[in-house]
Amino acid sequence: MVISSFADSLVRGVESVGDRVSETFFEPVIRLGVTGLARSGKTVFITSLVANLLDRGRMTGLVAQREGRITASYLQPQPDDTVPRFDFESHLSALTGPTPHWPDSTRAVSELRLSFKVQPAGLLSGLQGPRTLHLDIVDYPGEWLLDLALLEKSYEDWSRGTLEHISNRPQAEAFLAKVRAADPTAPHDEPQAQDLARSFTEYLNTAREAGFYDCTPGRFLLPGDLAGSPVLTFAPLPVSETSRRRSLHREMERRYEAYKAQVVKPFFRDHFARIDRQIVLVDALGAIHKGPQTVEDMRRAMAEILSAFRPGRNAWLNKLLLGKRVERILFAATKADHLHHLQHPRLTAIIEALTREARDRASFAGAETAALSLASLRTTTEEMRSHNGVELPCVRGTLLDSGKQAAFYPGDLPEDPAHLLGPARNGAEGWLGEDYGYMAFAPAHLTLNPGDGPPHIRLDRAAQFLIGDRL
């Protein structure tokens, strides 16, 4: 077994070095990771990004496009044969068809390769022909990204922290009652273990629906073909002393360690560790609407997410010998079309403040970071409406639940993000004297001109930050 494992690692290493040599010297590859927490718009972002990179009429913020140096772009089969293809065509049809609707959300890893023919810039550009650049877009659930932090935690540490965080949450009352009734030092009983795991999973699902973000392990929410397996049949338990073999606690601990070894580590090795550019999508408006506790939970989740990255610069020799590091990370507040453009700078300031700790850590390690507000697909138009003698900047769109047209004013975001983050850090239960509304809009009916992708807000600026330096 040891020899077989060593041989497998050696073969994997040789193949990896070969791939890096090819990427470094011949046809370079940018591997872009796209993630975000629940309902942040990952699927829509990738669909609109690819559509707008194929038909680039709305991508004036992408310098290579503005200079006319992108001569062609086309989709190719993704290079990883065991990874499902991102279903771009079906998702684009859902957004732009005769009855537009939001596509299904991300539930597993998927991948898409977009290749460019690009004319080099600079003094020698006229002497060189177009070169090829591949963009591999990897889509994966943000819940799986939070799992990477488990690699540094023991079962006792994870249990202690989880039970502490959920102790005052009403969604966890049923699960906590079962934990109090259980004896972790008693002999393991499989029906009891299954009951605890099932109750814990129910808590995670209700907590995510309520807007909490620290919902790990992520595969409990998206189990796929692991549903019902022992590796997903554990739960946090309080243990103050060492328990004996074959106790409930020891079996839960064993399964927790198996989850890290057989679920989390393969994801890190096969997908995450190969990423060199990353965008993290954040539904900041949804969190603000749900209140200060949700905002603080989101801030902590962003710090946890950054702890999973290996930020730094990808010098060609380091990349060839030591593997890739994430060299650019973009934090994007999505659904900017839910606000009038007059409030976009305030939304950007809020996402900058929310991710300040995470961005500082990445910058210190040598990665380049940025934050902005965007809308992958614009669903609204803007208008000013008079209310009690005051002109309010509103947006108008089709409501998702009723299909009716409505104008909406979400409230006035503060100029100083500290007016939101301060109450959030202090555990406030509501916004003092403020109420921030939130509406769910359906995709608008679109008529696209030849050469134009779907309408968006700042998608071109996001693309410029993520890949513009390599085009």
Side-chain angles (χ1 to χ4, degrees), residues 9 29 60 64 70 163 176-177 187 226 251-252 294 299 339 362 384:
S9 298
V29 177
T60 55
I70 302 178
L163 293 174
L176 292 175
L226 295 176
E251 181 62 19
M252 291 289 192
T294 303
R299 187 194 65 79
L339 296 173
M384 301 294 291

Side-chain angles (χ1 to χ4, degrees), residues 21-51:
V21 170
S22 176
E23 292 176 11
T24 302
F25 294 106
F26 300 105
E27 294 187 352
V29 177
I30 303 175
R31 195 167 176 86
L32 171 64
V34 180
T35 196
L37 302 176
R39 294 175 295 278
S40 59
K42 297 180 291 295
T43 301
V44 178
F45 173 83
I46 296 175
T47 303
S48 184
L49 176 66
V50 172

Side-chain angles (χ1 to χ4, degrees), residues 22-346:
S22 176
E23 292 176 11
T24 302
F25 294 106
F26 300 105
E27 294 187 352
V29 177
I30 303 175
R31 195 167 176 86
L32 171 64
V34 180
T35 196
L37 302 176
R39 294 175 295 278
S40 59
K42 297 180 291 295
T43 301
V44 178
F45 173 83
I46 296 175
T47 303
S48 184
L49 176 66
V50 172
N52 276 285
L53 288 175
L54 290 171
D55 295 301
R56 297 175 296 279
R58 301 182 192 269
M59 300 294 280
T60 55
L62 188 61
V63 173
Q65 167 63 20
R66 189 168 65 240
E67 295 176 347
R69 293 190 292 103
I70 302 178
T71 60
S73 58
Y74 51 100
L75 289 173
Q76 292 199 80
Q78 73 271 28
D80 298 310
D81 294 333
T82 59
V83 178
R85 182 180 185 272
F86 181 83
D87 196 0
F88 165 72
E89 291 81 6
S90 294
H91 297 326
L92 183 63
S93 178
L95 294 173
T96 62
T99 56
H101 58 277
W102 297 117
D104 294 335
S105 60
T106 299
R107 303 192 64 83
V109 175
S110 62
E111 187 179 49
L112 194 69
R113 168 165 282 194
L114 180 63
S115 298
F116 299 91
K117 287 289 187 182
V118 185
Q119 187 67 35
L123 296 176
L124 300 179
S125 60
L127 304 177
Q128 297 174 315
R131 57 186 176 85
T132 300
L133 174 73
H134 304 295
L135 175 64
D136 290 344
I137 302 174
V138 183
D139 178 29
Y140 58 93
E143 291 82 359
W144 295 10
L145 184 60
L146 288 173
D147 274 357
L148 295 180
L150 301 181
L151 295 175
E152 304 298 323
K153 297 179 181 180
S154 68
Y155 175 71
E156 285 76 13
D157 291 339
W158 172 72
S159 293
R160 189 182 307 111
T162 299
L163 293 174
E164 179 182 341
H165 282 143
I166 71 177
S167 60
N168 296 319
R169 294 179 183 176
Q171 298 84 1
E173 289 178 355
F175 168 68
L176 292 175
K178 292 181 183 293
V179 169
R180 288 190 289 267
D183 180 4
T185 63
H188 167 70
D189 178 66
E190 186 60 27
Q192 183 185 27
Q194 292 179 1
D195 185 48
L196 284 166
R198 183 165 47 250
S199 181
F200 183 55
T201 303
E202 291 172 356
Y203 153 71
L204 290 175
N205 279 286
T206 55
R208 183 175 63 169
E209 289 300 317
F212 292 104
Y213 297 96
D214 56 347
C215 299
T216 57
R219 285 295 182 96
F220 280 51
L221 298 166
L222 301 168
D225 56 0
L226 295 176
S229 64
V231 80
L232 295 188
T233 310
F234 64 89
L237 292 175
V239 178
S240 57
E241 59 184 25
T242 302
S243 56
R244 61 182 182 270
R245 292 180 60 191
R246 297 188 177 87
S247 66
L248 178 63
H249 162 253
R250 289 288 287 272
E251 181 62 19
M252 291 289 192
E253 180 182 39
R254 187 192 69 79
R255 294 179 181 187
Y256 171 82
E257 294 298 332
Y259 179 82
K260 293 197 299 183
Q262 300 176 32
V263 178
V264 181
K265 285 184 179 179
F267 166 67
F268 178 83
R269 179 194 65 211
D270 298 337
H271 303 292
F272 185 75
R274 300 165 56 199
I275 288 170
D276 53 17
R277 304 288 170 98
Q278 177 70 49
I279 180 168
V280 180
L281 303 174
V282 183
D283 183 12
L285 289 177
I288 293 170
H289 170 64
K290 291 176 179 177
Q293 294 182 10
T294 303
V295 170
E296 174 61 12
D297 192 53
M298 172 180 281
R299 187 194 65 79
R300 288 199 305 265
M302 290 299 103
E304 285 276 298
I305 284 175
L306 235 292
S307 69
F309 286 102
R310 297 192 308 163
R313 295 194 176 277
N314 270 330
W316 70 270
L317 188 58
N318 288 338
K319 183 168 63 176
L320 184 62
L321 299 178
L322 303 176
K324 292 184 177 180
R325 289 182 176 271
V326 181
E327 56 186 356
R328 290 196 177 198
I329 306 171
L330 177 64
F331 292 91
T334 58
K335 305 175 185 178
D337 57 328
H338 288 45
L339 296 173
H340 194 280
H341 76 273
L342 295 176
Q343 293 213 57
H344 288 181
R346 299 185 180 188

Side-chain angles (χ1 to χ4, degrees), residues 444-467:
H445 287 270
L446 298 177
T447 302
L448 301 179
N449 296 323
D452 284 350
H456 61 81
I457 298 176
R458 299 185 195 92
L459 192 64
D460 51 347
R461 287 178 52 186
Q464 174 60 30
F465 176 80
L466 292 167
I467 65 173

